[in-house]
Amino acid sequence: LVEQYLPEHSEEDLKTIVMEEISRLPALGITSIQDNSPVEMLNYYRYLLEQRRLPVRVSVNPPIIEHLVEYRQFRRDFTGDRIRFGYLNGDIDGSIASQTAYLIQPYLSDVHDAGKPFIDRDLLNSMVHLADNEKFQAGMGAAGDAAVNLILNAYALSSRVNDPRDRRFRIEHLT
């Protein structure tokens, strides 16, 4: 909706913008950040690191639904103390306040609306399974009780199918 009105930026423009904004963080007392941006953002951090201009520690948590092959390489590349590959993230639903959360029972204001998940159950199960099989942690956002059930079931299925180990699956934004 909004993206069509945003100005186009070249790769060099984006690199400059990221460099300028991230250089302001230490003056604000910020020493580390978490970034849930798409995989392309990792290349900017790599550039800043190579230029010795990355003033904060960065934990990158890119979307679960993209680029597992590239994520493997980034995870191998980023093992130092400045850039850390965190977990793969995604959202199952929206929020209670906007009535976009996925619920078991319908909203009181509309008995025909219980919200919808942003991702199909089978696709979610597949993405969690593939990420877990690659030993990536997953951190999914879920507000509604039906969304929480979806992700818990995906985590349980993956835990049963993949090798046993200490997993650190996450559910975020619970309301």
Side-chain angles (χ1 to χ4, degrees), residues 72-91:
R72 269 189 250 134
Q73 184 60 46
F74 279 113
R75 184 173 56 185
R76 281 191 295 267
D77 291 350
F78 298 129
T79 58
D81 66 335
R82 295 312 265 178
I83 301 176
R84 179 174 92 61
F85 201 99
Y87 61 92
L88 301 181
N89 82 81
D91 288 310

Side-chain angles (χ1 to χ4, degrees), residues 118-139:
F118 292 162
I119 185 169
D120 172 75
R121 182 193 70 211
D122 292 335
L123 179 57
L124 174 64
N125 289 344
S126 174
M127 294 307 302
V128 168
H129 168 73
L130 290 171
D132 181 49
N133 194 48
E134 292 288 333
K135 312 286 189 285
F136 285 108
Q137 293 180 17

Side-chain angles (χ1 to χ4, degrees), residues 3 7 13 17 23 28 36 52 56 59 61 64 78 83 86 135 150 157 161-162 167 169 174:
E3 287 181 7
D13 289 341
I17 290 167
S23 69
L28 300 170
N36 293 5
R52 299 190 186 289
V56 296
S59 177
N61 310 308
I64 194 169
F78 298 129
I83 301 176
K135 312 286 189 285
L150 271 180
L157 177 64
V161 173
N162 290 334
R167 291 176 167 79
F169 290 134
L174 290 168

